[in-house]
Amino acid sequence: MLRSSRIRHSGLTSVVHRHAQASLRRLSSLSSASQTAADSDMRQSPQQPQQQEPEIPILRGVCHNGTPLRMLILGAPGAGKGTQSARIRQSFDITAISSGDVLRRNIAEQTMAGRRAQAAVASGALVSDEIIVELIHAELNNIAGRSWLLDGFPRNIAQAQALDSMLESVGQPLNAVVNLDVPESVILQRIVERYVHVPSGRVYNLSYNPPKVPGVDDITGEPLEHRPDDNPESFKRRLEQYHALTRPLLKYYHATGVLTSFAGPTSDIIFPQFYAYLDQRFE
Ligand code: ADP
């Protein structure tokens, strides 16, 4: 699938642009429409006034060996998994599945699973492994054969084992696990200022990523919500759970040799590390 995307991250603009150009030259199967756009971009003469930054078509969705990327993003609640995932999708053709978004969608639609999960999500407790494994299994089935990343799942060793056997049964094991290592002192402030557009999962932060119009989603104009579980009590519980149940996954995946950690106090500092990592792995 061809993804046309505008790179907004100014520090990376030139490197992204260079890579995009290189990718475009390598790609033989560009659609004619995007080829035209790419050609006109490359033909730009130096005398032409520098207009608005061009839209850059990017088609990068497989690993070097032709295998789709099957990746997890791990990290404490509020570490910025959703933010990284959104930025990555501006540059790479990866489908992102967030277990929290899947649950919130099911709750909003009052599906059977959503009704069963509702109380646990609101209180910051974990939803039962059975419910979440089934939901994620269905999501992965829908995107079989594509590059994907999972955010928020697995949350404990039992879920990791369930995911492993799900993937092994189709001969498509994980090939990357990325851990976001963010100081906890930074995380609480972020949580208090976080708002979400539930239908899309778009996340805003009042300090560093505010919506254009206060209280509404930039794309749809629909209202933003402060997540019911983004309050100090519920957050404390989620953090404790993370330490008790999810952090042990680092050891689990370290043993399989697919784990990489990126550390930093902000998503802006972590993103270039993440980008460079994917850049090396993608064709
Ligand atoms: P955060 O990463 O900020 O905790 P998420 O959006 O990932 O938020 O999850 C919100 C809530 O959804 C969790 O507190 C939990 O109740 C539920 N949840 C999400 N993923 C899982 C999972 N893999 N297993 C069990 N419960 C989950």
Side-chain angles (χ1 to χ4, degrees), residues 75-78 81 98-101 103-104 117 120-122 124-129 132 136 151-156 159 191 194 227 229-230 234-235 238 241:
K81 301 184 289 291
S98 148
S99 56
D101 286 349
L103 283 165
R104 282 184 286 275
V121 171
L126 285 189
V127 169
S128 80
D129 292 343
I132 193 71
I136 295 295
D151 144 16
F153 179 92
R155 217 46 158 233
N156 58 32
Q159 292 180 11
I191 290 294
R194 176 160 77 174
R227 283 173 38 178
D229 56 339
D230 276 351
S234 171
F235 183 72
R238 281 152 64 204
Q241 248 162 17

PDB file of all heavy atoms in Angstrom, residues 75-78 81 98-101 103-104 117 120-122 124-129 132 136 151-156 159 191 194 227 229-230 234-235 238 241, ligand 1:
ATOM      1  N   GLY A  75       6.696  -0.633  27.442  1.00  0.00           N
ATOM      2  CA  GLY A  75       7.041   0.553  28.231  1.00  0.00           C
ATOM      3  C   GLY A  75       5.973   0.781  29.278  1.00  0.00           C
ATOM      4  O   GLY A  75       4.845   0.291  29.139  1.00  0.00           O
ATOM      5  N   ALA A  76       6.319   1.554  30.310  1.00  0.00           N
ATOM      6  CA  ALA A  76       5.357   1.832  31.382  1.00  0.00           C
ATOM      7  C   ALA A  76       4.153   2.573  30.807  1.00  0.00           C
ATOM      8  O   ALA A  76       4.257   3.197  29.747  1.00  0.00           O
ATOM      9  CB  ALA A  76       6.038   2.686  32.447  1.00  0.00           C
ATOM     10  N   PRO A  77       3.020   2.534  31.526  1.00  0.00           N
ATOM     11  CA  PRO A  77       1.893   3.366  31.068  1.00  0.00           C
ATOM     12  C   PRO A  77       2.343   4.818  31.023  1.00  0.00           C
ATOM     13  O   PRO A  77       3.026   5.295  31.933  1.00  0.00           O
ATOM     14  CB  PRO A  77       0.816   3.145  32.152  1.00  0.00           C
ATOM     15  CG  PRO A  77       1.488   2.459  33.291  1.00  0.00           C
ATOM     16  CD  PRO A  77       2.705   1.787  32.736  1.00  0.00           C
ATOM     17  N   GLY A  78       2.005   5.496  29.947  1.00  0.00           N
ATOM     18  CA  GLY A  78       2.397   6.904  29.820  1.00  0.00           C
ATOM     19  C   GLY A  78       3.801   7.092  29.268  1.00  0.00           C
ATOM     20  O   GLY A  78       4.283   8.215  29.160  1.00  0.00           O
ATOM     21  N   LYS A  81       4.027   5.115  24.200  1.00  0.00           N
ATOM     22  CA  LYS A  81       3.912   4.060  23.187  1.00  0.00           C
ATOM     23  C   LYS A  81       3.003   4.505  22.040  1.00  0.00           C
ATOM     24  O   LYS A  81       3.323   4.328  20.878  1.00  0.00           O
ATOM     25  CB  LYS A  81       3.375   2.760  23.819  1.00  0.00           C
ATOM     26  CG  LYS A  81       4.256   2.222  24.949  1.00  0.00           C
ATOM     27  CD  LYS A  81       3.758   0.897  25.485  1.00  0.00           C
ATOM     28  CE  LYS A  81       2.478   0.973  26.276  1.00  0.00           C
ATOM     29  NZ  LYS A  81       2.592   1.647  27.586  1.00  0.00           N
ATOM     30  N   SER A  98      -3.322  -1.086  19.188  1.00  0.00           N
ATOM     31  CA  SER A  98      -3.149  -0.756  20.601  1.00  0.00           C
ATOM     32  C   SER A  98      -4.227  -1.505  21.373  1.00  0.00           C
ATOM     33  O   SER A  98      -5.420  -1.345  21.098  1.00  0.00           O
ATOM     34  CB  SER A  98      -3.301   0.757  20.782  1.00  0.00           C
ATOM     35  OG  SER A  98      -3.861   1.035  22.039  1.00  0.00           O
ATOM     36  N   SER A  99      -3.794  -2.331  22.328  1.00  0.00           N
ATOM     37  CA  SER A  99      -4.783  -3.132  23.072  1.00  0.00           C
ATOM     38  C   SER A  99      -5.745  -2.210  23.822  1.00  0.00           C
ATOM     39  O   SER A  99      -6.937  -2.497  23.913  1.00  0.00           O
ATOM     40  CB  SER A  99      -4.092  -4.095  24.035  1.00  0.00           C
ATOM     41  OG  SER A  99      -3.252  -3.375  24.908  1.00  0.00           O
ATOM     42  N   GLY A 100      -5.221  -1.066  24.347  1.00  0.00           N
ATOM     43  CA  GLY A 100      -6.091  -0.130  25.051  1.00  0.00           C
ATOM     44  C   GLY A 100      -7.148   0.437  24.103  1.00  0.00           C
ATOM     45  O   GLY A 100      -8.328   0.536  24.448  1.00  0.00           O
ATOM     46  N   ASP A 101      -6.735   0.798  22.891  1.00  0.00           N
ATOM     47  CA  ASP A 101      -7.692   1.328  21.908  1.00  0.00           C
ATOM     48  C   ASP A 101      -8.726   0.269  21.524  1.00  0.00           C
ATOM     49  O   ASP A 101      -9.910   0.569  21.368  1.00  0.00           O
ATOM     50  CB  ASP A 101      -6.974   1.787  20.628  1.00  0.00           C
ATOM     51  CG  ASP A 101      -6.210   3.090  20.831  1.00  0.00           C
ATOM     52  OD1 ASP A 101      -6.400   3.730  21.885  1.00  0.00           O
ATOM     53  OD2 ASP A 101      -5.416   3.453  19.944  1.00  0.00           O
ATOM     54  N   LEU A 103      -9.753  -2.157  23.317  1.00  0.00           N
ATOM     55  CA  LEU A 103     -10.693  -2.295  24.445  1.00  0.00           C
ATOM     56  C   LEU A 103     -11.645  -1.107  24.519  1.00  0.00           C
ATOM     57  O   LEU A 103     -12.854  -1.276  24.648  1.00  0.00           O
ATOM     58  CB  LEU A 103      -9.920  -2.421  25.759  1.00  0.00           C
ATOM     59  CG  LEU A 103      -9.299  -3.800  25.990  1.00  0.00           C
ATOM     60  CD1 LEU A 103      -8.258  -3.746  27.092  1.00  0.00           C
ATOM     61  CD2 LEU A 103     -10.374  -4.830  26.325  1.00  0.00           C
ATOM     62  N   ARG A 104     -11.091   0.113  24.392  1.00  0.00           N
ATOM     63  CA  ARG A 104     -11.961   1.299  24.483  1.00  0.00           C
ATOM     64  C   ARG A 104     -12.999   1.311  23.360  1.00  0.00           C
ATOM     65  O   ARG A 104     -14.140   1.705  23.556  1.00  0.00           O
ATOM     66  CB  ARG A 104     -11.128   2.590  24.479  1.00  0.00           C
ATOM     67  CG  ARG A 104     -10.477   2.872  25.833  1.00  0.00           C
ATOM     68  CD  ARG A 104      -9.739   4.198  25.853  1.00  0.00           C
ATOM     69  NE  ARG A 104      -8.498   4.140  25.106  1.00  0.00           N
ATOM     70  CZ  ARG A 104      -7.335   3.701  25.600  1.00  0.00           C
ATOM     71  NH1 ARG A 104      -7.268   3.277  26.833  1.00  0.00           N
ATOM     72  NH2 ARG A 104      -6.249   3.668  24.860  1.00  0.00           N
ATOM     73  N   ALA A 117     -15.128  -6.113  29.810  1.00  0.00           N
ATOM     74  CA  ALA A 117     -13.849  -5.474  30.144  1.00  0.00           C
ATOM     75  C   ALA A 117     -14.013  -4.128  30.842  1.00  0.00           C
ATOM     76  O   ALA A 117     -13.088  -3.623  31.462  1.00  0.00           O
ATOM     77  CB  ALA A 117     -13.043  -5.272  28.851  1.00  0.00           C
ATOM     78  N   ALA A 120     -12.917  -3.294  34.619  1.00  0.00           N
ATOM     79  CA  ALA A 120     -11.468  -3.443  34.821  1.00  0.00           C
ATOM     80  C   ALA A 120     -10.731  -2.257  34.207  1.00  0.00           C
ATOM     81  O   ALA A 120      -9.849  -1.664  34.840  1.00  0.00           O
ATOM     82  CB  ALA A 120     -10.978  -4.751  34.198  1.00  0.00           C
ATOM     83  N   VAL A 121     -11.101  -1.863  33.010  1.00  0.00           N
ATOM     84  CA  VAL A 121     -10.405  -0.750  32.346  1.00  0.00           C
ATOM     85  C   VAL A 121     -10.592   0.544  33.134  1.00  0.00           C
ATOM     86  O   VAL A 121      -9.638   1.280  33.375  1.00  0.00           O
ATOM     87  CB  VAL A 121     -10.901  -0.577  30.885  1.00  0.00           C
ATOM     88  CG1 VAL A 121     -10.343   0.695  30.272  1.00  0.00           C
ATOM     89  CG2 VAL A 121     -10.508  -1.782  30.041  1.00  0.00           C
ATOM     90  N   ALA A 122     -11.822   0.791  33.593  1.00  0.00           N
ATOM     91  CA  ALA A 122     -12.089   2.045  34.316  1.00  0.00           C
ATOM     92  C   ALA A 122     -11.289   2.127  35.609  1.00  0.00           C
ATOM     93  O   ALA A 122     -10.872   3.205  36.023  1.00  0.00           O
ATOM     94  CB  ALA A 122     -13.577   2.168  34.600  1.00  0.00           C
ATOM     95  N   GLY A 124      -8.368   0.658  36.180  1.00  0.00           N
ATOM     96  CA  GLY A 124      -6.925   0.514  35.976  1.00  0.00           C
ATOM     97  C   GLY A 124      -6.447  -0.911  36.203  1.00  0.00           C
ATOM     98  O   GLY A 124      -5.248  -1.180  36.182  1.00  0.00           O
ATOM     99  N   ALA A 125      -7.392  -1.839  36.431  1.00  0.00           N
ATOM    100  CA  ALA A 125      -6.998  -3.252  36.584  1.00  0.00           C
ATOM    101  C   ALA A 125      -6.812  -3.870  35.201  1.00  0.00           C
ATOM    102  O   ALA A 125      -7.289  -3.326  34.199  1.00  0.00           O
ATOM    103  CB  ALA A 125      -8.077  -4.002  37.345  1.00  0.00           C
ATOM    104  N   LEU A 126      -6.143  -5.000  35.160  1.00  0.00           N
ATOM    105  CA  LEU A 126      -5.984  -5.654  33.863  1.00  0.00           C
ATOM    106  C   LEU A 126      -7.245  -6.435  33.499  1.00  0.00           C
ATOM    107  O   LEU A 126      -7.873  -7.052  34.354  1.00  0.00           O
ATOM    108  CB  LEU A 126      -4.800  -6.629  33.905  1.00  0.00           C
ATOM    109  CG  LEU A 126      -3.401  -6.020  33.873  1.00  0.00           C
ATOM    110  CD1 LEU A 126      -2.363  -7.108  33.686  1.00  0.00           C
ATOM    111  CD2 LEU A 126      -3.266  -4.980  32.771  1.00  0.00           C
ATOM    112  N   VAL A 127      -7.584  -6.394  32.246  1.00  0.00           N
ATOM    113  CA  VAL A 127      -8.671  -7.200  31.706  1.00  0.00           C
ATOM    114  C   VAL A 127      -8.179  -8.654  31.683  1.00  0.00           C
ATOM    115  O   VAL A 127      -6.972  -8.903  31.601  1.00  0.00           O
ATOM    116  CB  VAL A 127      -8.972  -6.691  30.277  1.00  0.00           C
ATOM    117  CG1 VAL A 127      -9.895  -7.597  29.523  1.00  0.00           C
ATOM    118  CG2 VAL A 127      -9.508  -5.274  30.335  1.00  0.00           C
ATOM    119  N   SER A 128      -9.095  -9.610  31.746  1.00  0.00           N
ATOM    120  CA  SER A 128      -8.656 -11.015  31.799  1.00  0.00           C
ATOM    121  C   SER A 128      -7.888 -11.385  30.529  1.00  0.00           C
ATOM    122  O   SER A 128      -8.169 -10.880  29.436  1.00  0.00           O
ATOM    123  CB  SER A 128      -9.853 -11.944  31.979  1.00  0.00           C
ATOM    124  OG  SER A 128     -10.485 -12.131  30.736  1.00  0.00           O
ATOM    125  N   ASP A 129      -6.919 -12.270  30.727  1.00  0.00           N
ATOM    126  CA  ASP A 129      -6.106 -12.706  29.586  1.00  0.00           C
ATOM    127  C   ASP A 129      -6.984 -13.272  28.470  1.00  0.00           C
ATOM    128  O   ASP A 129      -6.753 -13.012  27.289  1.00  0.00           O
ATOM    129  CB  ASP A 129      -5.109 -13.791  30.038  1.00  0.00           C
ATOM    130  CG  ASP A 129      -4.051 -13.229  30.967  1.00  0.00           C
ATOM    131  OD1 ASP A 129      -3.886 -11.995  31.001  1.00  0.00           O
ATOM    132  OD2 ASP A 129      -3.400 -14.033  31.666  1.00  0.00           O
ATOM    133  N   ILE A 132      -8.604 -10.422  26.326  1.00  0.00           N
ATOM    134  CA  ILE A 132      -7.680  -9.625  25.507  1.00  0.00           C
ATOM    135  C   ILE A 132      -6.991 -10.493  24.453  1.00  0.00           C
ATOM    136  O   ILE A 132      -6.783 -10.067  23.318  1.00  0.00           O
ATOM    137  CB  ILE A 132      -6.680  -8.831  26.396  1.00  0.00           C
ATOM    138  CG1 ILE A 132      -5.953  -7.786  25.561  1.00  0.00           C
ATOM    139  CG2 ILE A 132      -5.682  -9.710  27.095  1.00  0.00           C
ATOM    140  CD1 ILE A 132      -6.758  -6.632  25.127  1.00  0.00           C
ATOM    141  N   ILE A 136      -7.111  -9.601  20.486  1.00  0.00           N
ATOM    142  CA  ILE A 136      -5.883  -9.350  19.716  1.00  0.00           C
ATOM    143  C   ILE A 136      -5.740 -10.390  18.606  1.00  0.00           C
ATOM    144  O   ILE A 136      -5.328 -10.065  17.482  1.00  0.00           O
ATOM    145  CB  ILE A 136      -4.646  -9.370  20.648  1.00  0.00           C
ATOM    146  CG1 ILE A 136      -4.722  -8.215  21.653  1.00  0.00           C
ATOM    147  CG2 ILE A 136      -3.348  -9.318  19.845  1.00  0.00           C
ATOM    148  CD1 ILE A 136      -4.641  -6.813  21.073  1.00  0.00           C
ATOM    149  N   ASP A 151       0.939  -2.475  20.612  1.00  0.00           N
ATOM    150  CA  ASP A 151       1.234  -1.586  21.738  1.00  0.00           C
ATOM    151  C   ASP A 151       0.251  -1.927  22.864  1.00  0.00           C
ATOM    152  O   ASP A 151      -0.946  -1.932  22.649  1.00  0.00           O
ATOM    153  CB  ASP A 151       1.123  -0.150  21.190  1.00  0.00           C
ATOM    154  CG  ASP A 151       0.560   0.874  22.152  1.00  0.00           C
ATOM    155  OD1 ASP A 151       0.496   0.628  23.359  1.00  0.00           O
ATOM    156  OD2 ASP A 151       0.193   1.955  21.656  1.00  0.00           O
ATOM    157  N   GLY A 152       0.778  -2.279  24.021  1.00  0.00           N
ATOM    158  CA  GLY A 152      -0.087  -2.588  25.172  1.00  0.00           C
ATOM    159  C   GLY A 152      -0.380  -4.060  25.354  1.00  0.00           C
ATOM    160  O   GLY A 152      -1.001  -4.457  26.336  1.00  0.00           O
ATOM    161  N   PHE A 153       0.025  -4.850  24.431  1.00  0.00           N
ATOM    162  CA  PHE A 153      -0.144  -6.306  24.507  1.00  0.00           C
ATOM    163  C   PHE A 153       1.136  -6.937  23.978  1.00  0.00           C
ATOM    164  O   PHE A 153       1.630  -6.505  22.932  1.00  0.00           O
ATOM    165  CB  PHE A 153      -1.338  -6.754  23.649  1.00  0.00           C
ATOM    166  CG  PHE A 153      -1.555  -8.248  23.669  1.00  0.00           C
ATOM    167  CD1 PHE A 153      -2.408  -8.820  24.589  1.00  0.00           C
ATOM    168  CD2 PHE A 153      -0.873  -9.079  22.782  1.00  0.00           C
ATOM    169  CE1 PHE A 153      -2.593 -10.196  24.616  1.00  0.00           C
ATOM    170  CE2 PHE A 153      -1.050 -10.440  22.810  1.00  0.00           C
ATOM    171  CZ  PHE A 153      -1.915 -10.999  23.721  1.00  0.00           C
ATOM    172  N   PRO A 154       1.690  -7.934  24.637  1.00  0.00           N
ATOM    173  CA  PRO A 154       1.244  -8.561  25.876  1.00  0.00           C
ATOM    174  C   PRO A 154       1.576  -7.725  27.099  1.00  0.00           C
ATOM    175  O   PRO A 154       2.478  -6.888  27.074  1.00  0.00           O
ATOM    176  CB  PRO A 154       2.029  -9.876  25.887  1.00  0.00           C
ATOM    177  CG  PRO A 154       3.257  -9.597  25.091  1.00  0.00           C
ATOM    178  CD  PRO A 154       2.880  -8.590  24.063  1.00  0.00           C
ATOM    179  N   ARG A 155       0.860  -7.988  28.171  1.00  0.00           N
ATOM    180  CA  ARG A 155       0.999  -7.231  29.405  1.00  0.00           C
ATOM    181  C   ARG A 155       1.562  -8.118  30.517  1.00  0.00           C
ATOM    182  O   ARG A 155       1.843  -7.634  31.592  1.00  0.00           O
ATOM    183  CB  ARG A 155      -0.395  -6.792  29.784  1.00  0.00           C
ATOM    184  CG  ARG A 155      -0.693  -5.465  30.390  1.00  0.00           C
ATOM    185  CD  ARG A 155      -0.116  -4.232  29.845  1.00  0.00           C
ATOM    186  NE  ARG A 155      -0.925  -3.115  30.251  1.00  0.00           N
ATOM    187  CZ  ARG A 155      -1.421  -2.219  29.434  1.00  0.00           C
ATOM    188  NH1 ARG A 155      -1.165  -2.268  28.152  1.00  0.00           N
ATOM    189  NH2 ARG A 155      -2.153  -1.245  29.896  1.00  0.00           N
ATOM    190  N   ASN A 156       1.648  -9.387  30.283  1.00  0.00           N
ATOM    191  CA  ASN A 156       2.213 -10.303  31.278  1.00  0.00           C
ATOM    192  C   ASN A 156       2.768 -11.533  30.535  1.00  0.00           C
ATOM    193  O   ASN A 156       2.575 -11.673  29.314  1.00  0.00           O
ATOM    194  CB  ASN A 156       1.155 -10.702  32.331  1.00  0.00           C
ATOM    195  CG  ASN A 156      -0.065 -11.348  31.700  1.00  0.00           C
ATOM    196  OD1 ASN A 156       0.045 -12.025  30.681  1.00  0.00           O
ATOM    197  ND2 ASN A 156      -1.238 -11.139  32.280  1.00  0.00           N
ATOM    198  N   GLN A 159       0.258 -13.745  28.598  1.00  0.00           N
ATOM    199  CA  GLN A 159      -0.149 -13.174  27.301  1.00  0.00           C
ATOM    200  C   GLN A 159       0.981 -13.303  26.280  1.00  0.00           C
ATOM    201  O   GLN A 159       0.737 -13.547  25.097  1.00  0.00           O
ATOM    202  CB  GLN A 159      -0.542 -11.708  27.462  1.00  0.00           C
ATOM    203  CG  GLN A 159      -1.816 -11.497  28.268  1.00  0.00           C
ATOM    204  CD  GLN A 159      -2.186 -10.025  28.422  1.00  0.00           C
ATOM    205  OE1 GLN A 159      -1.618  -9.155  27.772  1.00  0.00           O
ATOM    206  NE2 GLN A 159      -3.149  -9.753  29.291  1.00  0.00           N
ATOM    207  N   ILE A 191       0.424  12.101  32.181  1.00  0.00           N
ATOM    208  CA  ILE A 191      -0.863  11.437  32.285  1.00  0.00           C
ATOM    209  C   ILE A 191      -1.968  12.439  32.622  1.00  0.00           C
ATOM    210  O   ILE A 191      -3.059  12.399  32.065  1.00  0.00           O
ATOM    211  CB  ILE A 191      -0.774  10.355  33.398  1.00  0.00           C
ATOM    212  CG1 ILE A 191       0.112   9.212  32.911  1.00  0.00           C
ATOM    213  CG2 ILE A 191      -2.140   9.844  33.798  1.00  0.00           C
ATOM    214  CD1 ILE A 191      -0.474   8.450  31.762  1.00  0.00           C
ATOM    215  N   ARG A 194      -3.052  14.340  29.542  1.00  0.00           N
ATOM    216  CA  ARG A 194      -3.336  13.560  28.332  1.00  0.00           C
ATOM    217  C   ARG A 194      -4.841  13.518  28.013  1.00  0.00           C
ATOM    218  O   ARG A 194      -5.660  13.261  28.880  1.00  0.00           O
ATOM    219  CB  ARG A 194      -2.814  12.137  28.540  1.00  0.00           C
ATOM    220  CG  ARG A 194      -3.145  11.202  27.394  1.00  0.00           C
ATOM    221  CD  ARG A 194      -2.248  10.018  27.376  1.00  0.00           C
ATOM    222  NE  ARG A 194      -2.593   9.025  28.386  1.00  0.00           N
ATOM    223  CZ  ARG A 194      -1.995   7.839  28.459  1.00  0.00           C
ATOM    224  NH1 ARG A 194      -1.050   7.523  27.607  1.00  0.00           N
ATOM    225  NH2 ARG A 194      -2.344   6.987  29.399  1.00  0.00           N
ATOM    226  N   ARG A 227      -9.165  10.309  29.650  1.00  0.00           N
ATOM    227  CA  ARG A 227      -9.473   8.905  29.923  1.00  0.00           C
ATOM    228  C   ARG A 227      -9.868   8.708  31.380  1.00  0.00           C
ATOM    229  O   ARG A 227      -9.214   9.222  32.271  1.00  0.00           O
ATOM    230  CB  ARG A 227      -8.259   8.034  29.587  1.00  0.00           C
ATOM    231  CG  ARG A 227      -8.106   7.811  28.103  1.00  0.00           C
ATOM    232  CD  ARG A 227      -6.836   7.114  27.752  1.00  0.00           C
ATOM    233  NE  ARG A 227      -6.443   6.072  28.691  1.00  0.00           N
ATOM    234  CZ  ARG A 227      -5.369   5.315  28.523  1.00  0.00           C
ATOM    235  NH1 ARG A 227      -4.612   5.474  27.462  1.00  0.00           N
ATOM    236  NH2 ARG A 227      -5.055   4.403  29.391  1.00  0.00           N
ATOM    237  N   ASP A 229      -9.380   6.361  33.264  1.00  0.00           N
ATOM    238  CA  ASP A 229      -8.339   5.727  34.091  1.00  0.00           C
ATOM    239  C   ASP A 229      -7.095   6.606  34.198  1.00  0.00           C
ATOM    240  O   ASP A 229      -6.106   6.203  34.787  1.00  0.00           O
ATOM    241  CB  ASP A 229      -7.980   4.334  33.552  1.00  0.00           C
ATOM    242  CG  ASP A 229      -7.553   4.348  32.095  1.00  0.00           C
ATOM    243  OD1 ASP A 229      -7.892   5.316  31.378  1.00  0.00           O
ATOM    244  OD2 ASP A 229      -6.877   3.398  31.672  1.00  0.00           O
ATOM    245  N   ASP A 230      -7.123   7.821  33.623  1.00  0.00           N
ATOM    246  CA  ASP A 230      -5.992   8.743  33.779  1.00  0.00           C
ATOM    247  C   ASP A 230      -6.192   9.631  35.005  1.00  0.00           C
ATOM    248  O   ASP A 230      -6.222  10.856  34.916  1.00  0.00           O
ATOM    249  CB  ASP A 230      -5.818   9.612  32.519  1.00  0.00           C
ATOM    250  CG  ASP A 230      -5.013   8.910  31.428  1.00  0.00           C
ATOM    251  OD1 ASP A 230      -4.443   7.826  31.705  1.00  0.00           O
ATOM    252  OD2 ASP A 230      -4.956   9.444  30.310  1.00  0.00           O
ATOM    253  N   SER A 234      -5.836   5.554  39.848  1.00  0.00           N
ATOM    254  CA  SER A 234      -5.842   4.513  38.835  1.00  0.00           C
ATOM    255  C   SER A 234      -4.450   4.382  38.193  1.00  0.00           C
ATOM    256  O   SER A 234      -3.972   3.281  37.910  1.00  0.00           O
ATOM    257  CB  SER A 234      -6.903   4.881  37.806  1.00  0.00           C
ATOM    258  OG  SER A 234      -6.826   4.058  36.730  1.00  0.00           O
ATOM    259  N   PHE A 235      -3.810   5.518  38.027  1.00  0.00           N
ATOM    260  CA  PHE A 235      -2.499   5.472  37.388  1.00  0.00           C
ATOM    261  C   PHE A 235      -1.479   4.750  38.274  1.00  0.00           C
ATOM    262  O   PHE A 235      -0.662   3.971  37.799  1.00  0.00           O
ATOM    263  CB  PHE A 235      -2.000   6.879  37.058  1.00  0.00           C
ATOM    264  CG  PHE A 235      -0.695   6.844  36.335  1.00  0.00           C
ATOM    265  CD1 PHE A 235      -0.650   6.421  35.011  1.00  0.00           C
ATOM    266  CD2 PHE A 235       0.480   7.166  36.964  1.00  0.00           C
ATOM    267  CE1 PHE A 235       0.554   6.330  34.339  1.00  0.00           C
ATOM    268  CE2 PHE A 235       1.687   7.082  36.304  1.00  0.00           C
ATOM    269  CZ  PHE A 235       1.723   6.669  34.986  1.00  0.00           C
ATOM    270  N   ARG A 238      -1.903   1.171  37.834  1.00  0.00           N
ATOM    271  CA  ARG A 238      -1.373   0.691  36.548  1.00  0.00           C
ATOM    272  C   ARG A 238       0.149   0.600  36.588  1.00  0.00           C
ATOM    273  O   ARG A 238       0.742  -0.322  36.019  1.00  0.00           O
ATOM    274  CB  ARG A 238      -1.828   1.624  35.417  1.00  0.00           C
ATOM    275  CG  ARG A 238      -3.255   1.345  34.990  1.00  0.00           C
ATOM    276  CD  ARG A 238      -3.940   2.570  34.427  1.00  0.00           C
ATOM    277  NE  ARG A 238      -3.330   3.067  33.214  1.00  0.00           N
ATOM    278  CZ  ARG A 238      -3.430   4.332  32.809  1.00  0.00           C
ATOM    279  NH1 ARG A 238      -4.088   5.212  33.524  1.00  0.00           N
ATOM    280  NH2 ARG A 238      -2.864   4.696  31.691  1.00  0.00           N
ATOM    281  N   GLN A 241       1.143  -2.407  38.587  1.00  0.00           N
ATOM    282  CA  GLN A 241       0.922  -3.595  37.769  1.00  0.00           C
ATOM    283  C   GLN A 241       2.011  -3.761  36.721  1.00  0.00           C
ATOM    284  O   GLN A 241       2.467  -4.861  36.434  1.00  0.00           O
ATOM    285  CB  GLN A 241      -0.404  -3.451  37.037  1.00  0.00           C
ATOM    286  CG  GLN A 241      -1.423  -4.407  37.526  1.00  0.00           C
ATOM    287  CD  GLN A 241      -2.796  -3.950  37.109  1.00  0.00           C
ATOM    288  OE1 GLN A 241      -2.943  -3.116  36.210  1.00  0.00           O
ATOM    289  NE2 GLN A 241      -3.783  -4.499  37.723  1.00  0.00           N
TER     290      GLN A 241
HETATM  291  P1  ADP B   1      -1.680   2.585  29.338  1.00  0.00           P
HETATM  292  O1  ADP B   1      -0.570   2.010  28.515  1.00  0.00           O
HETATM  293  O2  ADP B   1      -1.594   4.044  29.433  1.00  0.00           O
HETATM  294  O3  ADP B   1      -1.904   1.857  30.627  1.00  0.00           O
HETATM  295  P2  ADP B   1      -3.637   1.351  27.619  1.00  0.00           P
HETATM  296  O4  ADP B   1      -4.436   2.186  26.715  1.00  0.00           O
HETATM  297  O5  ADP B   1      -2.598   0.479  27.059  1.00  0.00           O
HETATM  298  O6  ADP B   1      -3.053   2.376  28.664  1.00  0.00           O
HETATM  299  O7  ADP B   1      -4.597   0.439  28.496  1.00  0.00           O
HETATM  300  C1  ADP B   1      -5.707   0.959  29.183  1.00  0.00           C
HETATM  301  C2  ADP B   1      -6.342  -0.144  30.024  1.00  0.00           C
HETATM  302  O8  ADP B   1      -6.792  -1.203  29.158  1.00  0.00           O
HETATM  303  C3  ADP B   1      -5.400  -0.820  30.998  1.00  0.00           C
HETATM  304  O9  ADP B   1      -5.306  -0.103  32.214  1.00  0.00           O
HETATM  305  C4  ADP B   1      -6.091  -2.158  31.175  1.00  0.00           C
HETATM  306  O10 ADP B   1      -7.229  -2.044  31.992  1.00  0.00           O
HETATM  307  C5  ADP B   1      -6.588  -2.466  29.777  1.00  0.00           C
HETATM  308  N1  ADP B   1      -5.601  -3.228  28.982  1.00  0.00           N
HETATM  309  C6  ADP B   1      -4.901  -2.787  27.893  1.00  0.00           C
HETATM  310  N2  ADP B   1      -4.110  -3.749  27.414  1.00  0.00           N
HETATM  311  C7  ADP B   1      -4.300  -4.822  28.196  1.00  0.00           C
HETATM  312  C8  ADP B   1      -3.743  -6.124  28.215  1.00  0.00           C
HETATM  313  N3  ADP B   1      -2.823  -6.508  27.318  1.00  0.00           N
HETATM  314  N4  ADP B   1      -4.179  -6.994  29.169  1.00  0.00           N
HETATM  315  C9  ADP B   1      -5.104  -6.627  30.068  1.00  0.00           C
HETATM  316  N5  ADP B   1      -5.656  -5.411  30.126  1.00  0.00           N
HETATM  317  C10 ADP B   1      -5.271  -4.500  29.199  1.00  0.00           C
END
